[in-house]
Amino acid sequence: LYLVPAAGGAPRPVGGPAVIAGAAPSPDGNRILVTRVHRPYSVIRSWERFPEDVEVWDLGGRVQATLSRRPLAEQVPIHGVTTGPRDHQWVPTEPATLTWAEALDGGDPRAKADHRDRIMLQVLGEAPVELARTISRFTSLDWLETGDQALLNDNDEDLHWARTWLLGRKGGTPRLLWDMSSDETYKDPGNPVWKVLPNGQYAIGVQGGTILLRGLGASPEGDRPFLDRLDLSTLRPERLFRCGREGYETIVNVLDPVSGKFLTSRESPKDYPNLWIRTLGRREKKAPAGEAAFASTPRPFTSLVNPVPELAAIQQRLVTYKRADGVDLSFTLYLPPNAKPGTPLPTIIWAYPVDFASAATASQVGGSDKRFTWISGSSPVFLALQGYAVLYATMPVVGDPANAYDTFLEQLELNAKAAIDKAVELGVTDPARVGVTGHSHGALMTANFMARSQLFRAGVARSGAYNHSIRPFGFQNERRTMWQARDTYLKISPLWNADLISKPLLLIHGENDQNPGTVPYQSEKLYEALRGLGATARLVMLPGENHGYTSREAVEQVLWETVTWFDRYVKNATPVK
């Protein structure tokens, strides 16, 4: 560690060299919270499990306090946490006060316990005290700038349930603020607006006994971002701003909570994003439910010009529909600039499976068709410029998190068929020319479609995991081990079902993929199997690329490979007899 004088001068070392995983200065600027990783290392565990010491140093590097000494975390339960103190952080409004969490259930989410964690607080030099206990697993403690209260958050991964409590600095009984499914987006209250304190720390801003909340504002008509004011006495919110229906406008920052001035970013499918300044005005007499209680006047702040006019010509639309079992679904449809109504096009579906505990939360609409069409990296939206209809489709897997993956393949087929049927009904899709692509968990989906579904002509799977037997202690959100759910592990592993893959499959993978679930040989072994079985397959390994692709060369290669593959096996495919 080094201290670098802001006014210039030579950097000064703090302590000796070490493997430092984290360093945070105290609010009074006189100490540093340091997390050091040390030996013995492990060749079978990632570095986050290595032995670590959490210490408080002075600015000379001398240890003032040792908060935690954790040995190698060898046996951590699936979806569990380590035992002992964890998640240390400074209280931003006090000179040198720390908080942390400790598991009360041995870190095991399956163990019976009235409370999962306890939250500890310690003023340096004094004995630690227990501040609160959480029913579910602790996730965060966010302090208000007044220093007398904090928002305490916990989450139950198995039930997909989250709670937020308003907690006093001196402990006591916390007040329940939100208690809801973590999958619920329509009722999402938003996230607190933070501010920088004079000491450089971050805390939730407070103005007249209220805090501000901003969120995406998911709704059946798409995302409509909002800004709310929450009264800390009544715990009731008041809506200050909500994006209109004609475009997409989101809160960038609150400039002055007293005068009601805030910065937004506005865009539409035809209008490039620009910054605007809004100022709250008069209170609306009869604002409809969910709409802003105040008028606000926008004023342009930037005048950026669209650097890619071709993208503004892409047609965009949010479409809702149902799958056969009644679950509501949606996709964002992108059409080529010259697409003619009633002319079916070759179509590509891009999706990523997401698990939900209930059909109600799985049915929620996400995203917005009011946003500017933008291509980032190797986005499949690029295919809309190549004559394809592109569907960004929701792909929910609904059921008890304990066994939802038992029906993974069946639900994928329901989702895909519903999307294709709807696109055919709209007159935009030729059902005989449909391809599918996905990344990571979406690649697993794609490979399984090539093995099990008759809906698609070809697929492009990027950076996927295709053999779950080599990660037998859980994958994605699967809680069970392979020995507890052997049939499910093998059923949804494309490598174990490679003999069923009869459709052309392009496999793309970063050569240096660091994601432990999607190591490069996942693609290499599936390709070897397909090649040995005589299937139509191609493997592209991207030099130097990680789980995502960032270099210009890799992005261009992925786009070229994808377009070439789909042109050959989808757009210009031999007609189905």
Side-chain angles (χ1 to χ4, degrees), residues 386-403:
Q386 307 299 308
Y388 292 86
V390 180
L391 276 59
Y392 269 46
T394 54
M395 196 68 59
V397 179
V398 184
D400 186 338
N403 53 27

Side-chain angles (χ1 to χ4, degrees), residues 35-116:
T35 301
R36 292 188 303 109
V37 174
H38 60 81
R39 297 183 185 277
Y41 297 156
S42 170
V43 295
I44 61 174
R45 302 295 179 196
S46 60
W47 71 268
E48 294 92 342
R49 298 281 190 89
F50 291 0
E52 70 174 27
D53 293 345
V54 180
E55 302 164 332
V56 175
W57 294 3
D58 65 16
L59 300 187
R62 291 175 291 273
V63 177
Q64 290 189 333
T66 299
L67 305 177
S68 172
R69 292 191 184 279
R70 192 195 71 190
L72 176 66
E74 186 68 49
Q75 299 295 332
V76 178
I78 296 174
H79 290 278
V81 296
T82 57
T83 57
R86 70 180 198 280
D87 297 332
H88 295 80
Q89 65 180 59
W90 295 111
V91 175
T93 57
E94 301 184 21
T97 300
L98 291 152
T99 61
W100 63 86
E102 295 179 0
L104 296 171
D105 59 359
D108 187 351
R110 291 178 174 81
K112 292 184 178 180
D114 293 333
H115 296 88
R116 295 289 169 193

Side-chain angles (χ1 to χ4, degrees), residues 1 23 106 127 162 188 210 296 310 334 357 406 416 476 515 533 562:
L1 293 182
D188 183 358
T210 67
S296 59
E310 299 88 348
Y334 298 92
D406 290 350
Q476 200 69 9
N515 184 4
L533 291 165
T562 302

Side-chain angles (χ1 to χ4, degrees), residues 75-314:
Q75 299 295 332
V76 178
I78 296 174
H79 290 278
V81 296
T82 57
T83 57
R86 70 180 198 280
D87 297 332
H88 295 80
Q89 65 180 59
W90 295 111
V91 175
T93 57
E94 301 184 21
T97 300
L98 291 152
T99 61
W100 63 86
E102 295 179 0
L104 296 171
D105 59 359
D108 187 351
R110 291 178 174 81
K112 292 184 178 180
D114 293 333
H115 296 88
R116 295 289 169 193
D117 286 320
R118 66 173 182 172
I119 314 305
M120 304 298 293
L121 179 143
Q122 181 181 22
V123 178
L124 279 186
E126 300 180 11
V129 296
E130 183 176 298
L131 191 61
R133 295 191 173 199
T134 59
I135 297 173
S136 301
R137 188 67 67 203
F138 166 79
T139 54
S140 67
L141 186 65
D142 304 324
W143 290 92
L144 277 56
E145 68 167 309
T146 50
D148 59 342
Q149 298 182 99
L151 299 186
L152 173 62
N153 301 287
D154 67 11
N155 179 59
D156 188 318
E157 286 194 3
D158 287 336
L159 298 178
H160 289 215
W161 205 263
R163 299 178 186 85
T164 298
W165 311 79
L166 187 60
L167 176 68
R169 163 64 176 81
K170 297 181 180 180
T173 303
R175 300 168 65 194
L176 183 61
L177 186 53
W178 299 303
D179 186 8
M180 58 189 293
S181 168
S182 53
D183 296 329
E184 175 62 68
T185 57
Y186 289 176
K187 297 179 181 178
D188 183 358
N191 298 311
V193 174
W194 294 66
K195 66 179 293 185
V196 183
L197 304 181
N199 60 13
Q201 301 285 318
Y202 283 82
I204 298 171
V206 179
Q207 179 66 38
T210 67
I211 64 173
L212 296 176
L213 304 168
R214 57 183 171 185
L216 287 176
S219 75
E221 55 188 330
D223 292 347
R224 295 181 60 194
F226 65 85
L227 179 68
D228 282 1
R229 179 165 56 199
L230 179 72
D231 189 305
L232 296 175
S233 298
T234 64
L235 301 186
R236 292 179 180 175
E238 180 180 40
R239 183 135 299 174
L240 304 180
F241 165 80
R242 190 183 187 193
C243 169
R245 293 182 171 87
E246 68 285 352
Y248 185 86
E249 187 172 5
T250 186
I251 304 296
V252 176
N253 199 7
V254 175
L255 303 177
D256 186 355
V258 177
S259 63
K261 184 177 294 185
F262 52 98
L263 188 69
T264 70
S265 175
R266 296 179 66 182
E267 61 189 275
S268 76
K270 304 297 182 184
D271 299 314
Y272 191 73
N274 268 287
L275 296 178
W276 293 67
I277 294 177
R278 279 186 175 270
T279 303
L280 294 181
R282 69 183 185 282
R283 179 182 290 274
E284 299 287 2
K285 293 183 178 179
K286 293 183 179 180
E291 299 296 332
F294 294 84
S296 59
T297 305
R299 176 169 58 88
F301 185 66
T302 62
S303 55
L304 303 177
V305 178
N306 179 10
V308 278
E310 299 88 348
L311 299 184
I314 293 176

